[in-house]
Each structure stands twice: as C-alpha cells, then as structure tokens.
Amino acid sequence: MTQLEMVQKSDGYDQAVISEAELELQVERKIEHEKSGEADPESGEYLDEIYDIVDAVVPRTDDPTLPALTFRVVVLGAIFNVLLAAVNTLFLFRSNYFQLNPFVGVLLAYPIGLFMAWVLPTGKFMGLTLNPGKFNYKEHALIYVASSCGANPAYALYNIVGQKYQLYQTDLTTVACVFFAIVTQCFGYGLAGLCRRYLVRPAAMLWPGNLSTIALLNSLHEPNTPSADGKLRLSRFSFFWIAATLIFVWEWFPLFLMPVLASISLLCYFAPKLSDNSAVPSSYAAKVMRGLGSSQPRGGIGLLSFTFDWSIISIQAPITTPLWALLNQFLGMWFMLYLVVPLVWVNNGFGKDFDMGTNPHQGPNGTGRYFLGFTLNTPDLFDNNGSYVASRTLVDKSSLRLKEDLYNKLQPMRITAYFAIEYLASFIVFVSALVHVGLWYGSDIWRRFRTAMRDLDTSDVHAKMMDVYPDVPDLWYIILLAVNLVIGIAVCQWGGFDLPWWGVILGLLLAVVSMIPIGTIQAISGQQIGLNVMSEFLIGLILPGRIAAVMSFKTLSYMSMYQGLLLVADLKLGHYLKVPPRAMFTVQLVGTLVASIVNVFISFGIYESFGRSEKEEFIVPSDPTSGKIWKLQSDEPPLGWTAGNFNVFLNAGAIWGAIGPARFFGPGSPYVATLWGFLVGLVAPIFPYVMHKFQPNGYWHLVNIPIIAVFPVQVNSSRADVIMPLVIGVIINYYVKKFNHAWWKKYAYVLSAAADSGTAIALTVTFFAFTWNAAYQITLPYSKVQFADGEGCAPDYYLTCHANDNYGNNFGKKYDITTDDYCSSINFGSA
C-alpha cells in the first residue's frame, strides 16, 4: 500500500473533497512525524476519534444563504445579554454561588424567535431585515454567543469590589472601574482572533464544551431522522424536553426536599461522635473521619462522598469531556485530594495543619466559622496558632499597604493543607502545560506559525466550508489590541489600580505567551489551566506589599487569557455551525462591551443595597461614614449573602500582594516545599513522551500531566463531586458508546444539554421562591434528609440548635433562644 493510499484510508475524510496536493501535504507531514517519532495530533486514531465525536452532533453540511446577523439576533441577543449579565452578577454575592447558564437564553429565545418570524413584516430597520424568513440555527447560535458574553460576569468585579468596598478605596471612580472591566474583557478578544489559526481551524482542536450547545440547537432546529435500523424514532427535540423536564423535577429533591442527596458523606455516618462541647477536644478518630468525610465548604475533603445533584456533577462536564481526559483529570484529583492532602493534614506536613480553625471561639457554637470545630476546605488565613485572621485587617485602609507591625505579631501566616496543596498543583500545572504542549504539539505549532498565510486545514471538511465566508482581517484584531493597551495603561497607572505602565505590558505579555499552550490543552480536553496563581506569583515578587497592584495585575493577565479562550471557544462554535466570521466578531465584541458595563453597575448597586452594619470597626479619613462597615463584610452578614467569592479573591490578594510570595512561600516559610511543584512540572511530562517513543502503539499519548495535576476542585466549594461525574462519564462515554453507539451519537450530548437546562431552571425557581428574601426564607423541618450542615457531619448539638435557629427564622419570624430549653442550657450561640 502506498503512502498516499494509507492517508486516504486512515484519515477518514471524504476523498471527493480532498485535492491531490492536499493529500500530498498530509503524506509529507505523516512522514515527517514518523521520522521524528512525534505523535501527530492531526492523524491516525486520535483524529478518527475526534471526527467520531464531532460527527455525533455536527453535520457536514452548510447552507451559505441562511441569514445570520438579523434584527431578531440584535433584539433577542441584547435582551438575554443584559438579563444574564445582571442576574449572574447578582448571584456572585450569594453564599452558594450558581450561574444561570446561557442555555436558558437559548431555550427562551426559541419560541420568541418563531413568534417574531410569524408576526414581523419583511421591511428593514437600520439596515437589517425585520423578517428574513424562518428562524434558523445560525441566528440562534449568535443569540447563544450574546447570552454567553453576558452569562460570565467580568472577573474584574472581584478586583473592583475588593478595592472599592472591602478595602474602602474611596478615590476609585466609577469611570475607571468601567474602563478597567472593559479592558480586561476585550483585550483577550484581540488575542482570540490572532490565535484562531492555531486554536480554531485545526480539526484536532475539539473544544468539547461546544458539543452540548450544538446538540441543543440541533434538537430545536433539525427534523427527526430515525436510526438506520428504524429504531430511535424519538426526535432530539422531544428527547431534550422530556429529559429536561425529568431533570427539573428531580432537582427539587437535592435542592429543597431532600438536600442530603446533594452530599452523602459515608464516613460521617460511621464516625464516632464529635464532642458536644467545642472547648473539649474530640477523639482523634472522630476528627480524622469527619475531616476526611465532610464535603461542605469550611468542612473537609469529601472522601467517599457522592452526590445526586446535577448542579454539582455538571461542574466536571462528564458527558461532553472526552473519556481519556476525564480519566486523567480524576486520576490526578483522587491522588491529590484523597492521598496527598490527608497525609499532609494528619502528619502536620506544613507544621500546624491539624490545628487550623480549632480556636473554640471560631468553632461550632453558633457564632463561629467552622462547624466541625476545625477546617480543611477553606481559603481563610490563620495566625501561627491556627486562629482565623480576616485578610482585610492586615491592610492599611489609606495606603493599601501591609500593616507590618500586625503581621510581625501574627507571622508566619498559615493556610489549610488543602489550600496549600492546591497551590502546589497550580505550580505543577503551569510549567507542565508549557512542556507538554512543546513536546507533543511544538513542531505543529511552529509549522503553522511559519506558514500562517498558507492554510494547512483545507482538507478538513468544516474548514473548507468556512472558507466560503469573508474572514475577519487580522488588522481588526490588532487595532483592538492597541486600543485596549492604551486604555489599560491609562486606567491602571492613573485610575487608582496602583499598577505602573510596565506592569500592564508585562501582564499582557504573560497572557500572550500562555494563550496557545493553555488553549491547546483546553481545546483537546475541555479543561482550562488557570494563569491566576502564576500571575500573582510573578508580580508579588516584583511589587511586594502592594495588594491593589497585585490584584490588578492578576485580573489583567489572567482575564486576558481566560476571556480570550472563552471567545476562542465561541469562534469554534461558529466554525462548527458555519456562522459568518464577521457576524461572530460583531456579536462577541458588542456583547462583551455591554455586559461589562452592566456588571459594574449591578455590582455597585448590590453591595450598597445591603447598607452598612451597626458595628464600628475602622474609619477611613477620606470617608466620614466609614466608621460603620458594609454589612456584607461584617461578622454576621445577611443570611445567604456572604460574598464568598469576593472574600476568596481578597484572601489571595493578601497572600500574594500584601504579604508577598517571598515571605509566604520563600525560605523559612512553612510552605516553601510547595515550590518543588515547578520542578515536578518541568520533569513529569517528559516521561510519557519518552515512553511513547519506545511504545508508539501504546496509550502513553493519552497520559496528560497538566490535566492530571490541574486539581479542578477549588477550595471552599462542595467536594461531593469527585465520584459521580466519573461514574456517569464511564457509563455514557464507554459502555453506551461501545454497546449502543447509535443512541450515544444521537442523544448523548442532547442529554447533557437537557440536564444543564433543567437544572438551571430548577435552581432559578427554588432560589427566588424560597431563599431570595433573606427575611422570609423557607426551609422544611430538619431531619435525617435535611441536616443543618447539609450532610450530618457536625456535632449533634450543632445540628439540633442550628436547625432550630434556621427553622425558627422562617416565614419572617424571629427565633428566640430563651424559649429553647436545650440550646439555651448549653449556651449555644456564645463563645
């Protein structure tokens, strides 16, 4: 068999659309890869698997005459962009944050789009045809993109709110805040456009997160086609609504009726009882088993805990993530969370890990932070005795610099073993991502860079069909980058963000360097590697003690890459659905600008709407009213509104900015050993690469060190998500795909979209119905399926008295502990 025949047979393309020259180019690349011993990411079994996955939801057809950017897109896209931007900004301040998925916008837009196609006249408005005919999937895709731009609140809000409200920087103007948000969101868009040749056009760049979106759109717009054997007659549309309805009904159980289903902690059921007195130490066995078994924020690590709540399961995207990537991810997650963290914790690997949160005044007495009497799953800072320290108390409110005298009294500052290992993993991930991509994809990226003007992907059927449409000139993206750079320097240098002009350039350069390697990992696996820790590390060494500068640099560099990759994912969605690139450019840019402005003003309104606490804590000289702190920062914030995400961001700012990495991770620090992560990340990816050269027909090409080390289980979130996502992934993407491939191809990604949509609606309904008004929250009586801590791991007296407290405040009532003989007898609620 000739080399040409081998390519024709193995690559699985439609030979009718491949020219001889293109096949010769593939042959040339195949020979070059064989000589070098490199894995070719664009050929062989890997690409066959990619096409198998894509073909399950993406048709190999296109109608270039379908209208895309229409009046319906402008109206519906604007409505759902603003709506989701406002609602999800509001939800950022909730104790248990959740996000309305843009799928909600897709679902609601569909009947409205059909109605507009039915009633609107055929005239024009501002150059757009009011009714170009049937509401089509390209219009719907652009509405989804507009919704997606609004559904992800600007990361800059953490920076802005942290400085303006949590640190009381009163000279930070609204105009500066708006421009800072816009710059951090839009600079990444310029990078996305310039990287599209490497991250969008290649067939190997899968972007699996898009597949459920495409499945949803297909279920709404495609006519039903039974399988070849005459079975599977149920249309995707009908399957979607049936599955979404069933998930919506089911989610009422873990969300409201039986919350224990959201977190079943087996170890806590068999653990010895914790002491009924927070001042008396519990047994070693009780503490260890509950610390390992509890999965709640400020609790433990969730060993053997599992969930039946899709809102928790879906975080790991078990259906749309390729099985090989899911296995890599969970292998690393189990290793880190179930082995490394427990060993470090019980052996005091960082010095006093077993003591974190054991101060009885901060324990499970009703006023403390830690319901177990200790803590693992928290980003909080602790002093050298293991007592909680609010990060804002370490920073001088007028200069935004570290209070050296106070720090010297409390040092060395400490964090939990869980949080420390998360930082260790982030060090491994960043370096290993660069090494992994360099080894496996380096020559391919370099080839594309050298031949950027000559398209290497015309043999891909989807790339070939996209060539029909006028592309967006690179000059547009370059202009966008230049404008954002100028505005970014002006805002950060003189707008109150304490970051010098060279810091802006350095942050953007970091994003540029990271974009392609990290984007490649996300494109093939669905998992993104964060740049936030490395950006903090770099600027913290350069500008120690300056918390605002470090937070600003982190936001600028991290979001330039993160937002850029979100927009790259949308470009790939447009690539799959054959949406004209210039229409996509317009919707993405305008949607991002509008959402950024909405994000800023909504966040200001929410923070200020709660007002100030009666408690006096500190006074900022430039603000006469600041003797009373904001309620969201007080020790007793409004029920259900603790702004937890903002506190995590501020704690990180204190570690990397106020204290600085040199002191927190340098010589003499309890956490200096975490720096070994850089060496591990440098060496570990070499092993599977070398083994692949010796065993090219093995599975070493599926061993991905960055994904193994990514540790996608953020501290201070539920740890009941470490078992069930893998179970579902194996069932759907191995057993169902292997033994009922036709069903998998037609319904798998529709099922994912339906589950996400049904859950999003259930979350919204239960939230507004039962927890929206803090004064009139509704909970069911506490029981074995309705624990006060969500899982039954806390001491019995806490479960009883906290339940009485919560239930007693239902329906606008006020709980009076003096009428509760048991709880008043043990002084519950007092330290």
Side-chain angles (χ1 to χ4, degrees):
M1 182 179 293
T2 66
Q3 289 280 3
L4 183 62
E5 291 171 336
M6 289 174 62
V7 173
Q8 290 175 323
K9 182 176 181 179
S10 65
D11 283 0
Y13 294 131
D14 182 356
Q15 297 178 30
V17 299
I18 303 179
S19 69
E20 184 175 346
E22 289 161 354
L23 284 171
E24 289 176 353
L25 176 61
Q26 292 180 42
V27 170
E28 178 186 337
R29 292 177 61 195
K30 227 179 221 308
I31 294 173
E32 182 177 339
H33 278 284
E34 289 173 357
K35 288 180 178 179
S36 64
E38 264 183 8
D40 185 356
E42 299 236 1
S43 65
E45 294 182 3
Y46 176 74
L47 195 56
D48 289 341
E49 181 184 0
I50 292 295
Y51 273 107
D52 192 30
I53 293 172
V54 172
D55 287 345
V57 290
V58 180
R60 294 192 174 198
T61 58
D62 179 37
D63 181 1
T65 64
L66 283 179
L69 186 56
T70 65
F71 176 77
R72 294 184 293 235
V73 170
V74 172
V75 172
L76 296 180
I79 290 173
F80 292 112
N81 175 272
V82 172
L83 178 64
L84 289 176
V87 171
N88 283 343
T89 301
L90 170 66
F91 290 159
L92 280 180
F93 294 88
R94 288 290 301 173
S95 305
N96 296 314
Y97 170 66
F98 74 90
Q99 180 177 333
L100 277 183
N101 196 294
F103 287 152
V104 175
V106 172
L107 291 173
L108 296 178
Y110 181 66
I112 301 174
L114 294 178
F115 178 76
M116 294 176 74
W118 181 46
V119 301
L120 286 180
T122 58
K124 289 195 173 184
F125 178 76
M126 298 181 66
L128 296 172
T129 303
L130 292 176
N131 193 346
K134 182 180 177 181
F135 182 56
N136 66 74
Y137 68 90
K138 294 189 180 185
E139 292 177 284
H140 214 162
L142 287 174
I143 293 171
Y144 167 81
V145 170
S147 302
S148 179
C149 290
N152 296 285
Y155 191 75
L157 294 183
Y158 296 119
N159 206 127
I160 293 167
V161 168
Q163 291 185 230
K164 189 175 181 68
Y165 295 105
Q166 293 177 309
L167 296 178
Y168 283 80
Q169 186 179 344
T170 55
D171 62 343
L172 196 62
T173 67
T174 300
V175 173
C177 293
V178 169
F179 276 108
F180 184 72
I182 290 175
V183 166
T184 56
Q185 294 292 96
C186 290
F187 191 91
Y189 187 32
L191 292 181
L194 296 179
C195 292
R196 67 193 187 280
R197 286 186 180 89
Y198 314 104
L199 298 177
V200 175
R201 286 190 65 88
M205 301 295 106
L206 174 62
W207 293 97
N210 283 325
L211 300 180
S212 61
T213 304
I214 297 171
L216 171 58
L217 293 174
N218 287 342
S219 69
L220 297 174
H221 291 274
E222 281 189 355
N224 184 34
T225 53
S227 56
D229 58 4
K231 300 178 181 179
L232 305 179
R233 293 182 176 277
L234 188 67
S235 69
R236 287 189 175 102
F237 180 82
S238 299
F239 181 90
F240 172 85
W241 284 109
I242 292 172
T245 301
L246 292 175
I247 292 291
F248 170 78
V249 173
W250 167 255
E251 280 297 308
W252 280 76
F253 288 91
L255 292 177
F256 182 68
L257 299 173
M258 299 175 65
V260 71
L261 293 174
S263 178
I264 299 177
S265 301
L266 295 181
L267 289 184
C268 290
Y269 286 110
F270 300 103
K273 287 188 175 182
L274 289 171
S275 169
D276 276 355
N277 186 335
S278 60
V280 177
S282 300
S283 72
Y284 180 82
K287 181 173 181 177
V288 170
M289 289 187 68
R290 292 173 189 270
L292 297 180
S294 171
S295 63
Q296 294 297 317
R298 295 183 183 173
I301 62 172
L303 178 64
L304 301 181
S305 295
F306 57 96
T307 180
F308 293 101
D309 183 356
W310 184 259
S311 69
I312 297 175
I313 295 171
S314 64
I315 294 172
Q316 311 296 347
I319 297 178
T320 58
T321 300
L323 185 58
W324 71 267
L326 203 67
L327 291 172
N328 274 273
Q329 173 185 326
F330 275 80
L331 172 64
M333 199 186 307
W334 288 349
F335 176 74
M336 290 289 193
L337 196 62
Y338 287 171
L339 182 62
V340 177
V341 172
L343 287 176
V344 171
W345 178 53
V346 298
N347 291 291
N348 284 315
F350 295 114
K352 295 187 177 181
D353 304 289
F354 217 56
D355 298 332
M356 297 298 102
T358 55
N359 185 329
H361 291 270
Q362 298 165 356
N365 59 356
T367 60
R369 297 175 65 84
Y370 311 116
F371 60 88
L372 294 176
F374 58 93
T375 186
L376 258 173
N377 185 10
T378 180
D380 288 346
L381 293 177
F382 301 87
D383 64 18
N384 195 37
N385 295 317
S387 296
Y388 164 68
V389 177
S391 57
R392 67 177 184 272
T393 62
L394 297 172
V395 180
D396 182 83
K397 303 306 180 294
S398 56
S399 65
L400 297 182
R401 299 293 191 271
L402 178 68
K403 295 178 181 177
E404 293 284 351
D405 293 342
L406 178 60
Y407 173 76
N408 290 333
K409 293 178 182 178
L410 301 175
Q411 70 168 325
M413 299 298 296
R414 296 183 178 273
I415 53 179
T416 63
Y418 182 170
F419 201 15
I421 296 301
E422 189 171 277
Y423 278 130
L424 168 68
S426 68
F427 300 155
I428 298 173
V429 166
F430 182 77
V431 178
S432 64
L434 299 177
V435 175
H436 177 89
V437 173
L439 291 173
W440 292 90
Y441 299 92
S443 62
D444 193 64
I445 291 172
W446 176 243
R447 185 183 303 108
R448 292 175 184 280
F449 178 77
R450 287 184 303 168
T451 59
M453 301 307 295
R454 180 166 62 95
D455 192 353
L456 297 178
D457 302 293
T458 53
S459 58
D460 173 33
V461 63
H462 300 292
K464 190 176 183 69
M465 286 188 284
M466 282 300 292
D467 289 338
V468 174
Y469 303 97
D471 201 1
V472 178
D474 287 344
L475 182 61
W476 292 13
Y477 292 109
I478 293 171
I479 292 174
L480 191 61
L481 286 174
V483 170
N484 277 280
L485 178 61
V486 172
I487 297 175
I489 289 175
V491 169
C492 293
Q493 176 85 55
W494 298 290
F497 290 94
D498 198 29
L499 186 63
W501 64 269
W502 55 263
V504 176
I505 296 175
L506 180 62
L508 298 180
L509 285 176
L510 183 60
V512 170
V513 171
S514 307
M515 188 82 171
I516 289 180
I518 292 178
T520 300
I521 295 293
Q522 184 175 353
I524 64 176
S525 70
Q527 300 300 318
Q528 186 179 109
I529 296 165
L531 189 61
N532 48 340
V533 172
M534 289 311 304
S535 61
E536 291 172 312
F537 198 110
L538 177 63
I539 197 63
L541 291 173
I542 300 173
L543 297 175
R546 296 170 61 172
I547 186 171
V550 169
M551 292 194 303
S552 300
F553 182 89
K554 170 187 176 179
T555 299
L556 188 66
S557 59
Y558 171 55
M559 275 313 294
S560 294
M561 185 206 71
Y562 177 82
Q563 181 70 8
L565 292 180
L566 281 178
L567 296 168
V568 166
D570 285 343
L571 289 176
K572 187 68 175 187
L573 177 70
H575 184 84
Y576 282 142
L577 296 177
K578 317 305 177 293
V579 176
R582 297 188 179 188
M584 181 67 73
F585 177 92
T586 303
V587 171
Q588 284 184 314
L589 184 57
V590 175
T592 302
L593 286 170
V594 172
S596 299
I597 297 171
V598 172
N599 291 156
V600 172
F601 283 99
I602 292 294
S603 66
F604 287 178
I606 292 300
Y607 216 94
E608 296 183 10
S609 68
F610 285 104
R612 297 184 185 263
S613 170
E614 293 301 315
K615 177 182 177 182
E616 294 190 5
E617 187 178 75
F618 53 78
I619 297 177
V620 179
S622 60
D623 183 4
T625 67
S626 65
K628 294 181 179 179
I629 67 172
W630 294 103
K631 283 186 178 180
L632 285 179
Q633 289 175 244
S634 65
D635 292 335
E636 298 179 2
L639 185 62
W641 297 87
T642 60
N645 289 322
F646 294 87
N647 294 328
V648 171
F649 187 90
L650 188 65
N651 286 341
I655 291 173
W656 298 98
I659 300 171
R663 280 194 278 202
F664 203 89
F665 294 99
S669 162
Y671 306 103
V672 65
T674 60
L675 299 181
W676 284 101
F678 290 109
L679 181 60
V680 174
L682 182 65
V683 175
I686 300 174
F687 178 74
Y689 180 75
V690 171
M691 292 303 297
H692 174 74
K693 284 196 169 187
F694 286 106
Q695 300 177 357
N697 296 321
Y699 295 96
W700 291 105
H701 63 290
L702 299 179
V703 178
N704 192 305
I705 298 300
I707 298 177
I708 291 174
V710 75
F711 201 28
V713 282
Q714 185 178 7
V715 68
N716 207 40
S717 56
S718 174
R719 285 290 64 78
D721 61 346
V722 192
I723 294 178
M724 288 302 292
L726 182 60
V727 172
I728 291 174
V730 170
I731 291 173
I732 298 294
N733 289 324
Y734 179 74
Y735 288 102
V736 175
K737 184 179 179 181
K738 182 176 181 179
F739 297 107
N740 196 343
H741 190 270
W743 190 99
W744 176 87
K745 184 173 182 177
K746 186 171 185 178
Y747 296 130
Y749 293 108
V750 180
L751 176 62
S752 178
D756 288 346
S757 301
T759 300
I761 296 172
L763 281 165
T764 305
V765 172
T766 56
F767 174 76
F768 283 105
F770 306 122
T771 61
W772 169 253
N773 189 331
Y776 287 88
Q777 290 191 353
I778 300 174
T779 58
L780 296 178
Y782 287 86
S783 64
K784 293 298 183 182
V785 297
Q786 192 84 238
F787 290 111
D789 67 345
E791 58 187 353
C793 289
D796 288 344
Y797 80 94
Y798 174 90
L799 297 176
T800 299
C801 296
H802 198 68
N804 294 347
D805 187 6
N806 285 350
Y807 192 66
N809 287 314
N810 260 332
F811 312 105
K813 297 181 295 183
K814 187 67 177 177
Y815 172 68
D816 183 2
I817 193 172
T818 60
T819 63
D820 188 329
D821 294 337
Y822 171 69
C823 296
S824 59
S825 68
I826 62 171
N827 295 318
F828 182 76
S830 60

